[in-house]
Amino acid sequence: MTTNAPPLSPKERYRLTVTGGETDRPPIWIMRQAGRYLPEYRELRSQHTFLDFCLRPEISAKATLMPIELVGIDILIIFNDILTPLRNLGLDLDFPKGGPVIANPIRDMERVKSLPKVIFGDEPVAESIRLVSRHAPEYPVLGFCGAPFTLAVYAVEGFVKGDKEEILRLVREEPETLDLLLEKLTTVATDYLVLQADAGGAHGVQVFESWGGMLLEDEAYERFAAKWQREVISQFRKRCPETPVHLYVRGSRNKLAAMDATGADVLSVDWNTPLTEARRATKRTLQGNLSPEVLLDPNLVPGAFEEMIRGFDWQQGWIANLGHGITPKASVEAARRFVECVRALGKEGG
Ligand code: CP3
């Protein structure tokens, strides 16, 4: 692309990147980009509960839009949480300080069998996406869901901390209970994505597998994580064939072949997976993977950025991002520097 061409709109840059076209530079967004590292988010958060953010479209939209001006990202992700749709399954979800808590976790077959069938209406998340698109029509907006196994971890454990004893007990001792739970969560996750794409008009969706890659290996990863990721992605693809799907896996390094086999359009890898290694494993668009630690200090960014992309040809399809969510202690200045590094790629060589 010549240097005289007008810059692409963020929507066009995203579309071309995902479909294998040529772009002026890679697009960038940051996982958890609307979060506690932003003073403006903390101020808004001090006036509302976290569930207000997930359930009230005007508050969700306000938070979603913040990182455009404050950080300069190209892609928006709707402000919500992977756990919100668990409420529709009758789970009593709250977000006290220290992370999400479910007061009535699912621990046995009887409970799994008695879970209600979820039928989504026009949920608040769809209205949030519509509001964001109205305010920022040039920007692509991503919807998202948790991968079935990651949702199961929270639904079974009931809270974030601890050694994940309950879910691992199901893996070892009651695999059929877990199979049935995962089947039900797969329907919830898929329907939630379809709602965001169809009713909301999301321009892409991301599936977050935050735990499968960390807790499971080999046959267990295949049976309880990869199989259901493929199911969500293929069912979604049938119902929303035009909407690209991103798959994020924490613990991606030895899961690249399984990620490729899901058919996701964009594979989002963690910070322990060199991009050159990921590129050898797949031809798909990659996403990632600066370590969130780097954003604690602006001075670390240029060196770490250079190291991340050494030997990696971004023009084969890359969306710049972190390898996991930005932390509350991150520096806003560091996030901006990350954006600058990506923008500078567009100036090299025309
Ligand atoms: O990226 C964005 O800006 C969009 C919003 C978003 C949130 N959560 C907001 C949030 C997204 C995409 C998520 C996904 C999510 N939520 C995941 C998958 C990604 C990952 O981190 O692996 C998971 C596992 C959850 C569950 C969850 N929600 C946890 C573990 C926590 C507590 C940890 C923490 O950072 O406090 C949350 C709460 C949460 N979700 C916050 C935000 C901004 C912090 C809540 C607050 O403001 O008090």
Side-chain angles (χ1 to χ4, degrees):
M1 189 167 272
T2 68
T3 39
N4 297 333
L8 294 169
S9 75
K11 249 188 192 163
E12 192 60 3
R13 186 177 294 115
Y14 172 66
R15 193 188 63 77
L16 286 167
T17 300
V18 174
T19 54
E22 249 185 69
T23 59
D24 50 352
R25 64 170 174 81
I28 175 167
W29 67 284
I30 294 175
M31 284 192 263
R32 293 269 176 104
Q33 61 194 10
R36 283 163 297 179
Y37 74 108
L38 293 174
E40 290 79 357
Y41 171 81
R42 293 198 298 271
E43 165 61 28
L44 187 63
R45 176 77 171 81
S46 71
Q47 301 161 30
H48 306 281
T49 68
F50 184 73
L51 271 178
D52 283 341
F53 275 77
C54 296
L55 302 178
R56 290 176 53 188
E58 70 287 358
I59 304 175
S60 161
K62 216 182 229 182
T64 303
L65 292 162
M66 281 179 181
I68 297 182
E69 292 289 318
L70 298 172
V71 183
I73 46 74
D74 300 302
I75 296 172
L76 296 167
I77 183 158
I78 197 65
F79 193 96
N80 200 285
D81 199 86
I82 60 164
L83 304 179
T84 341
L86 295 183
R87 299 171 75 253
N88 302 62
L89 275 173
L91 293 181
D92 180 4
L93 169 71
D94 196 13
F95 288 90
K97 233 181 150 63
V101 175
I102 291 164
N104 52 348
I106 302 168
R107 298 276 167 86
D108 55 46
M109 188 57 122
E110 207 178 320
R111 180 78 189 288
V112 174
K113 283 187 174 156
S114 73
L115 289 171
K117 180 165 170 44
V118 175
I119 296 169
F120 289 116
D122 189 27
E123 304 293 313
V125 67
E127 175 62 12
S128 306
I129 297 171
R130 293 192 294 265
L131 268 181
V132 167
S133 288
R134 216 172 300 143
H135 278 95
E138 299 274 278
Y139 285 78
V141 186
L142 300 182
F144 65 89
C145 72
F149 183 78
T150 288
L151 292 175
V153 169
Y154 292 99
V156 169
E157 293 291 327
F159 56 93
V160 189
K161 303 263 151 48
D163 46 15
K164 309 288 177 279
E165 219 172 277
E166 293 295 332
I167 188 90
L168 292 173
R169 186 184 64 75
L170 291 187
V171 166
R172 278 193 318 270
E173 296 168 19
E174 283 191 56
E176 290 82 14
T177 302
L178 188 51
D179 284 336
L180 186 63
L181 176 60
L182 289 165
E183 189 182 326
K184 294 188 172 200
L185 291 171
T186 294
T187 305
V188 171
T190 309
D191 289 351
Y192 201 61
L193 288 186
V194 170
L195 163 81
Q196 294 173 79
D198 275 358
H203 305 95
V205 293
Q206 176 148 322
V207 178
F208 283 95
E209 182 66 273
S210 307
W211 287 110
M214 304 299 288
L215 299 176
L216 306 174
E217 291 300 339
D218 307 323
E219 294 101 65
Y221 183 77
E222 166 54 30
R223 174 168 176 176
F224 301 115
K227 172 182 168 188
W228 303 103
Q229 295 163 10
R230 291 197 298 273
E231 199 61 29
V232 170
I233 292 167
S234 65
Q235 286 182 26
F236 177 78
R237 167 95 8 94
K238 275 190 211 133
R239 292 160 70 186
C240 304
E242 303 296 321
T243 310
V245 183
H246 305 214
L247 171 66
Y248 169 74
V249 174
R250 184 155 66 112
S252 50
R253 191 161 185 183
N254 63 353
K255 305 292 192 291
L256 293 167
M259 288 174 75
D260 186 60
T262 61
D265 302 273
V266 178
L267 304 186
S268 189
V269 296
D270 78 9
W271 65 100
N272 292 315
T273 310
L275 288 176
T276 46
E277 193 174 314
R279 179 45 79 224
R280 284 194 292 279
T282 182
K283 290 192 161 57
R284 300 180 191 280
T285 298
L286 290 168
Q287 178 175 274
N289 69 343
L290 199 69
S291 167
E293 297 279 306
V294 172
L295 296 195
L296 297 176
D297 177 355
N299 296 318
L300 297 176
V301 175
F305 182 81
E306 219 168 277
E307 196 175 317
M308 171 177 66
I309 60 163
R310 191 176 303 136
F312 176 70
D313 181 6
W314 65 265
Q315 307 202 43
Q316 290 177 21
W318 179 50
I319 298 173
N321 203 321
L322 297 181
H324 195 212
I326 190 167
T327 63
K329 290 208 168 71
S331 132
V332 182
E333 183 51 34
R336 290 197 194 109
R337 281 242 187 125
F338 183 22
V339 170
E340 275 167 28
C341 289
V342 173
R343 287 180 188 245
L345 289 177
K347 301 193 179 95
E348 287 166 14

PDB file of all heavy atoms in Angstrom, residues 109-134:
ATOM      1  N   MET A 109     -24.495 -34.319  39.302  1.00  0.00           N
ATOM      2  CA  MET A 109     -25.314 -34.657  38.135  1.00  0.00           C
ATOM      3  C   MET A 109     -26.760 -34.202  38.276  1.00  0.00           C
ATOM      4  O   MET A 109     -27.345 -33.682  37.332  1.00  0.00           O
ATOM      5  CB  MET A 109     -25.244 -36.171  37.906  1.00  0.00           C
ATOM      6  CG  MET A 109     -25.899 -36.632  36.626  1.00  0.00           C
ATOM      7  SD  MET A 109     -25.208 -35.811  35.156  1.00  0.00           S
ATOM      8  CE  MET A 109     -24.642 -37.203  34.209  1.00  0.00           C
ATOM      9  N   GLU A 110     -27.291 -34.380  39.481  1.00  0.00           N
ATOM     10  CA  GLU A 110     -28.693 -34.008  39.696  1.00  0.00           C
ATOM     11  C   GLU A 110     -28.924 -32.527  39.341  1.00  0.00           C
ATOM     12  O   GLU A 110     -29.867 -32.159  38.669  1.00  0.00           O
ATOM     13  CB  GLU A 110     -29.010 -34.240  41.175  1.00  0.00           C
ATOM     14  CG  GLU A 110     -30.446 -34.536  41.462  1.00  0.00           C
ATOM     15  CD  GLU A 110     -30.628 -34.790  42.957  1.00  0.00           C
ATOM     16  OE1 GLU A 110     -29.758 -35.458  43.566  1.00  0.00           O
ATOM     17  OE2 GLU A 110     -31.605 -34.272  43.503  1.00  0.00           O
ATOM     18  N   ARG A 111     -28.006 -31.709  39.830  1.00  0.00           N
ATOM     19  CA  ARG A 111     -28.097 -30.266  39.569  1.00  0.00           C
ATOM     20  C   ARG A 111     -27.916 -29.964  38.077  1.00  0.00           C
ATOM     21  O   ARG A 111     -28.649 -29.135  37.514  1.00  0.00           O
ATOM     22  CB  ARG A 111     -27.021 -29.558  40.406  1.00  0.00           C
ATOM     23  CG  ARG A 111     -26.978 -28.069  40.266  1.00  0.00           C
ATOM     24  CD  ARG A 111     -28.075 -27.357  41.056  1.00  0.00           C
ATOM     25  NE  ARG A 111     -28.071 -25.941  40.693  1.00  0.00           N
ATOM     26  CZ  ARG A 111     -27.131 -25.096  41.062  1.00  0.00           C
ATOM     27  NH1 ARG A 111     -26.160 -25.497  41.880  1.00  0.00           N
ATOM     28  NH2 ARG A 111     -27.156 -23.839  40.663  1.00  0.00           N
ATOM     29  N   VAL A 112     -26.964 -30.636  37.447  1.00  0.00           N
ATOM     30  CA  VAL A 112     -26.745 -30.394  36.017  1.00  0.00           C
ATOM     31  C   VAL A 112     -28.018 -30.727  35.249  1.00  0.00           C
ATOM     32  O   VAL A 112     -28.448 -29.963  34.375  1.00  0.00           O
ATOM     33  CB  VAL A 112     -25.558 -31.238  35.473  1.00  0.00           C
ATOM     34  CG1 VAL A 112     -25.431 -31.087  33.958  1.00  0.00           C
ATOM     35  CG2 VAL A 112     -24.250 -30.827  36.146  1.00  0.00           C
ATOM     36  N   LYS A 113     -28.634 -31.862  35.608  1.00  0.00           N
ATOM     37  CA  LYS A 113     -29.852 -32.278  34.899  1.00  0.00           C
ATOM     38  C   LYS A 113     -30.993 -31.291  35.103  1.00  0.00           C
ATOM     39  O   LYS A 113     -31.851 -31.148  34.237  1.00  0.00           O
ATOM     40  CB  LYS A 113     -30.289 -33.667  35.383  1.00  0.00           C
ATOM     41  CG  LYS A 113     -29.438 -34.778  34.780  1.00  0.00           C
ATOM     42  CD  LYS A 113     -29.997 -36.145  35.135  1.00  0.00           C
ATOM     43  CE  LYS A 113     -29.235 -37.243  34.412  1.00  0.00           C
ATOM     44  NZ  LYS A 113     -29.330 -38.533  35.133  1.00  0.00           N
ATOM     45  N   SER A 114     -31.011 -30.620  36.245  1.00  0.00           N
ATOM     46  CA  SER A 114     -32.140 -29.735  36.529  1.00  0.00           C
ATOM     47  C   SER A 114     -31.926 -28.296  36.047  1.00  0.00           C
ATOM     48  O   SER A 114     -32.772 -27.426  36.289  1.00  0.00           O
ATOM     49  CB  SER A 114     -32.430 -29.746  38.035  1.00  0.00           C
ATOM     50  OG  SER A 114     -31.416 -29.023  38.695  1.00  0.00           O
ATOM     51  N   LEU A 115     -30.818 -28.028  35.378  1.00  0.00           N
ATOM     52  CA  LEU A 115     -30.603 -26.651  34.901  1.00  0.00           C
ATOM     53  C   LEU A 115     -31.682 -26.275  33.886  1.00  0.00           C
ATOM     54  O   LEU A 115     -32.057 -27.097  33.050  1.00  0.00           O
ATOM     55  CB  LEU A 115     -29.214 -26.518  34.254  1.00  0.00           C
ATOM     56  CG  LEU A 115     -28.018 -26.571  35.208  1.00  0.00           C
ATOM     57  CD1 LEU A 115     -26.710 -26.650  34.415  1.00  0.00           C
ATOM     58  CD2 LEU A 115     -28.001 -25.371  36.149  1.00  0.00           C
ATOM     59  N   PRO A 116     -32.162 -25.038  33.942  1.00  0.00           N
ATOM     60  CA  PRO A 116     -33.222 -24.645  33.007  1.00  0.00           C
ATOM     61  C   PRO A 116     -32.688 -24.504  31.580  1.00  0.00           C
ATOM     62  O   PRO A 116     -31.485 -24.265  31.392  1.00  0.00           O
ATOM     63  CB  PRO A 116     -33.662 -23.279  33.537  1.00  0.00           C
ATOM     64  CG  PRO A 116     -32.467 -22.734  34.242  1.00  0.00           C
ATOM     65  CD  PRO A 116     -31.757 -23.925  34.829  1.00  0.00           C
ATOM     66  N   LYS A 117     -33.566 -24.644  30.621  1.00  0.00           N
ATOM     67  CA  LYS A 117     -33.184 -24.344  29.242  1.00  0.00           C
ATOM     68  C   LYS A 117     -33.207 -22.820  29.099  1.00  0.00           C
ATOM     69  O   LYS A 117     -34.173 -22.180  29.485  1.00  0.00           O
ATOM     70  CB  LYS A 117     -34.189 -24.995  28.289  1.00  0.00           C
ATOM     71  CG  LYS A 117     -33.851 -24.718  26.852  1.00  0.00           C
ATOM     72  CD  LYS A 117     -34.587 -25.635  25.890  1.00  0.00           C
ATOM     73  CE  LYS A 117     -34.415 -25.178  24.442  1.00  0.00           C
ATOM     74  NZ  LYS A 117     -33.051 -24.781  24.090  1.00  0.00           N
ATOM     75  N   VAL A 118     -32.113 -22.276  28.585  1.00  0.00           N
ATOM     76  CA  VAL A 118     -32.028 -20.809  28.498  1.00  0.00           C
ATOM     77  C   VAL A 118     -32.518 -20.336  27.138  1.00  0.00           C
ATOM     78  O   VAL A 118     -32.079 -20.842  26.100  1.00  0.00           O
ATOM     79  CB  VAL A 118     -30.569 -20.343  28.701  1.00  0.00           C
ATOM     80  CG1 VAL A 118     -30.460 -18.833  28.478  1.00  0.00           C
ATOM     81  CG2 VAL A 118     -30.073 -20.719  30.081  1.00  0.00           C
ATOM     82  N   ILE A 119     -33.453 -19.390  27.171  1.00  0.00           N
ATOM     83  CA  ILE A 119     -33.850 -18.743  25.914  1.00  0.00           C
ATOM     84  C   ILE A 119     -33.579 -17.248  26.086  1.00  0.00           C
ATOM     85  O   ILE A 119     -34.191 -16.589  26.923  1.00  0.00           O
ATOM     86  CB  ILE A 119     -35.332 -19.006  25.582  1.00  0.00           C
ATOM     87  CG1 ILE A 119     -35.515 -20.521  25.354  1.00  0.00           C
ATOM     88  CG2 ILE A 119     -35.766 -18.222  24.340  1.00  0.00           C
ATOM     89  CD1 ILE A 119     -36.935 -20.977  25.275  1.00  0.00           C
ATOM     90  N   PHE A 120     -32.616 -16.751  25.330  1.00  0.00           N
ATOM     91  CA  PHE A 120     -32.272 -15.335  25.457  1.00  0.00           C
ATOM     92  C   PHE A 120     -33.310 -14.481  24.747  1.00  0.00           C
ATOM     93  O   PHE A 120     -33.778 -14.822  23.666  1.00  0.00           O
ATOM     94  CB  PHE A 120     -30.894 -15.058  24.842  1.00  0.00           C
ATOM     95  CG  PHE A 120     -29.760 -15.632  25.644  1.00  0.00           C
ATOM     96  CD1 PHE A 120     -28.951 -16.625  25.106  1.00  0.00           C
ATOM     97  CD2 PHE A 120     -29.495 -15.181  26.931  1.00  0.00           C
ATOM     98  CE1 PHE A 120     -27.902 -17.158  25.837  1.00  0.00           C
ATOM     99  CE2 PHE A 120     -28.444 -15.715  27.666  1.00  0.00           C
ATOM    100  CZ  PHE A 120     -27.647 -16.707  27.123  1.00  0.00           C
ATOM    101  N   GLY A 121     -33.645 -13.369  25.364  1.00  0.00           N
ATOM    102  CA  GLY A 121     -34.470 -12.362  24.693  1.00  0.00           C
ATOM    103  C   GLY A 121     -33.519 -11.330  24.111  1.00  0.00           C
ATOM    104  O   GLY A 121     -32.380 -11.653  23.765  1.00  0.00           O
ATOM    105  N   ASP A 122     -33.967 -10.087  24.004  1.00  0.00           N
ATOM    106  CA  ASP A 122     -33.067  -9.026  23.556  1.00  0.00           C
ATOM    107  C   ASP A 122     -32.311  -8.550  24.795  1.00  0.00           C
ATOM    108  O   ASP A 122     -32.654  -7.559  25.415  1.00  0.00           O
ATOM    109  CB  ASP A 122     -33.863  -7.896  22.902  1.00  0.00           C
ATOM    110  CG  ASP A 122     -32.947  -6.897  22.240  1.00  0.00           C
ATOM    111  OD1 ASP A 122     -31.833  -7.287  21.830  1.00  0.00           O
ATOM    112  OD2 ASP A 122     -33.321  -5.717  22.159  1.00  0.00           O
ATOM    113  N   GLU A 123     -31.257  -9.299  25.155  1.00  0.00           N
ATOM    114  CA  GLU A 123     -30.524  -9.038  26.396  1.00  0.00           C
ATOM    115  C   GLU A 123     -29.830  -7.668  26.352  1.00  0.00           C
ATOM    116  O   GLU A 123     -29.543  -7.154  25.261  1.00  0.00           O
ATOM    117  CB  GLU A 123     -29.465 -10.120  26.598  1.00  0.00           C
ATOM    118  CG  GLU A 123     -29.994 -11.541  26.607  1.00  0.00           C
ATOM    119  CD  GLU A 123     -30.874 -11.852  27.801  1.00  0.00           C
ATOM    120  OE1 GLU A 123     -30.480 -11.513  28.930  1.00  0.00           O
ATOM    121  OE2 GLU A 123     -31.956 -12.420  27.599  1.00  0.00           O
ATOM    122  N   PRO A 124     -29.513  -7.102  27.538  1.00  0.00           N
ATOM    123  CA  PRO A 124     -28.855  -5.782  27.574  1.00  0.00           C
ATOM    124  C   PRO A 124     -27.576  -5.723  26.723  1.00  0.00           C
ATOM    125  O   PRO A 124     -27.277  -4.685  26.149  1.00  0.00           O
ATOM    126  CB  PRO A 124     -28.513  -5.597  29.062  1.00  0.00           C
ATOM    127  CG  PRO A 124     -29.423  -6.518  29.806  1.00  0.00           C
ATOM    128  CD  PRO A 124     -29.832  -7.616  28.878  1.00  0.00           C
ATOM    129  N   VAL A 125     -26.850  -6.827  26.618  1.00  0.00           N
ATOM    130  CA  VAL A 125     -25.593  -6.796  25.866  1.00  0.00           C
ATOM    131  C   VAL A 125     -25.832  -6.406  24.407  1.00  0.00           C
ATOM    132  O   VAL A 125     -25.014  -5.700  23.796  1.00  0.00           O
ATOM    133  CB  VAL A 125     -24.825  -8.138  25.973  1.00  0.00           C
ATOM    134  CG1 VAL A 125     -25.546  -9.279  25.274  1.00  0.00           C
ATOM    135  CG2 VAL A 125     -23.403  -8.014  25.456  1.00  0.00           C
ATOM    136  N   ALA A 126     -26.966  -6.824  23.840  1.00  0.00           N
ATOM    137  CA  ALA A 126     -27.245  -6.488  22.439  1.00  0.00           C
ATOM    138  C   ALA A 126     -27.465  -4.983  22.296  1.00  0.00           C
ATOM    139  O   ALA A 126     -26.940  -4.343  21.375  1.00  0.00           O
ATOM    140  CB  ALA A 126     -28.461  -7.267  21.948  1.00  0.00           C
ATOM    141  N   GLU A 127     -28.209  -4.417  23.228  1.00  0.00           N
ATOM    142  CA  GLU A 127     -28.448  -2.968  23.196  1.00  0.00           C
ATOM    143  C   GLU A 127     -27.126  -2.216  23.425  1.00  0.00           C
ATOM    144  O   GLU A 127     -26.888  -1.175  22.795  1.00  0.00           O
ATOM    145  CB  GLU A 127     -29.504  -2.586  24.245  1.00  0.00           C
ATOM    146  CG  GLU A 127     -29.763  -1.092  24.413  1.00  0.00           C
ATOM    147  CD  GLU A 127     -30.297  -0.395  23.159  1.00  0.00           C
ATOM    148  OE1 GLU A 127     -30.685  -1.069  22.199  1.00  0.00           O
ATOM    149  OE2 GLU A 127     -30.292   0.867  23.160  1.00  0.00           O
ATOM    150  N   SER A 128     -26.258  -2.734  24.297  1.00  0.00           N
ATOM    151  CA  SER A 128     -24.950  -2.083  24.501  1.00  0.00           C
ATOM    152  C   SER A 128     -24.181  -2.002  23.183  1.00  0.00           C
ATOM    153  O   SER A 128     -23.586  -0.980  22.861  1.00  0.00           O
ATOM    154  CB  SER A 128     -24.064  -2.871  25.473  1.00  0.00           C
ATOM    155  OG  SER A 128     -24.713  -3.113  26.674  1.00  0.00           O
ATOM    156  N   ILE A 129     -24.183  -3.098  22.446  1.00  0.00           N
ATOM    157  CA  ILE A 129     -23.427  -3.126  21.180  1.00  0.00           C
ATOM    158  C   ILE A 129     -24.032  -2.123  20.191  1.00  0.00           C
ATOM    159  O   ILE A 129     -23.311  -1.375  19.524  1.00  0.00           O
ATOM    160  CB  ILE A 129     -23.389  -4.555  20.591  1.00  0.00           C
ATOM    161  CG1 ILE A 129     -22.651  -5.497  21.546  1.00  0.00           C
ATOM    162  CG2 ILE A 129     -22.706  -4.563  19.215  1.00  0.00           C
ATOM    163  CD1 ILE A 129     -22.736  -6.982  21.181  1.00  0.00           C
ATOM    164  N   ARG A 130     -25.362  -2.091  20.140  1.00  0.00           N
ATOM    165  CA  ARG A 130     -26.005  -1.133  19.222  1.00  0.00           C
ATOM    166  C   ARG A 130     -25.656   0.300  19.604  1.00  0.00           C
ATOM    167  O   ARG A 130     -25.353   1.131  18.746  1.00  0.00           O
ATOM    168  CB  ARG A 130     -27.536  -1.324  19.217  1.00  0.00           C
ATOM    169  CG  ARG A 130     -27.977  -2.665  18.605  1.00  0.00           C
ATOM    170  CD  ARG A 130     -29.483  -2.689  18.350  1.00  0.00           C
ATOM    171  NE  ARG A 130     -30.282  -2.651  19.561  1.00  0.00           N
ATOM    172  CZ  ARG A 130     -30.783  -3.741  20.192  1.00  0.00           C
ATOM    173  NH1 ARG A 130     -30.553  -4.947  19.722  1.00  0.00           N
ATOM    174  NH2 ARG A 130     -31.502  -3.609  21.279  1.00  0.00           N
ATOM    175  N   LEU A 131     -25.670   0.600  20.912  1.00  0.00           N
ATOM    176  CA  LEU A 131     -25.333   1.957  21.367  1.00  0.00           C
ATOM    177  C   LEU A 131     -23.899   2.326  20.995  1.00  0.00           C
ATOM    178  O   LEU A 131     -23.626   3.426  20.522  1.00  0.00           O
ATOM    179  CB  LEU A 131     -25.447   2.030  22.894  1.00  0.00           C
ATOM    180  CG  LEU A 131     -26.760   2.454  23.515  1.00  0.00           C
ATOM    181  CD1 LEU A 131     -26.610   2.483  25.037  1.00  0.00           C
ATOM    182  CD2 LEU A 131     -27.163   3.834  22.996  1.00  0.00           C
ATOM    183  N   VAL A 132     -22.981   1.400  21.236  1.00  0.00           N
ATOM    184  CA  VAL A 132     -21.568   1.659  20.930  1.00  0.00           C
ATOM    185  C   VAL A 132     -21.399   1.909  19.437  1.00  0.00           C
ATOM    186  O   VAL A 132     -20.713   2.847  19.016  1.00  0.00           O
ATOM    187  CB  VAL A 132     -20.676   0.482  21.398  1.00  0.00           C
ATOM    188  CG1 VAL A 132     -19.273   0.587  20.824  1.00  0.00           C
ATOM    189  CG2 VAL A 132     -20.630   0.434  22.920  1.00  0.00           C
ATOM    190  N   SER A 133     -22.043   1.097  18.612  1.00  0.00           N
ATOM    191  CA  SER A 133     -21.918   1.257  17.155  1.00  0.00           C
ATOM    192  C   SER A 133     -22.489   2.597  16.696  1.00  0.00           C
ATOM    193  O   SER A 133     -21.982   3.200  15.757  1.00  0.00           O
ATOM    194  CB  SER A 133     -22.650   0.134  16.422  1.00  0.00           C
ATOM    195  OG  SER A 133     -21.937  -1.060  16.573  1.00  0.00           O
ATOM    196  N   ARG A 134     -23.532   3.045  17.374  1.00  0.00           N
ATOM    197  CA  ARG A 134     -24.106   4.337  17.010  1.00  0.00           C
ATOM    198  C   ARG A 134     -23.135   5.472  17.356  1.00  0.00           C
ATOM    199  O   ARG A 134     -22.988   6.426  16.618  1.00  0.00           O
ATOM    200  CB  ARG A 134     -25.436   4.535  17.755  1.00  0.00           C
ATOM    201  CG  ARG A 134     -26.473   5.270  16.949  1.00  0.00           C
ATOM    202  CD  ARG A 134     -27.830   5.277  17.628  1.00  0.00           C
ATOM    203  NE  ARG A 134     -28.364   3.938  17.838  1.00  0.00           N
ATOM    204  CZ  ARG A 134     -29.070   3.574  18.922  1.00  0.00           C
ATOM    205  NH1 ARG A 134     -29.318   4.421  19.902  1.00  0.00           N
ATOM    206  NH2 ARG A 134     -29.522   2.344  19.023  1.00  0.00           N
TER     207      ARG A 134
END
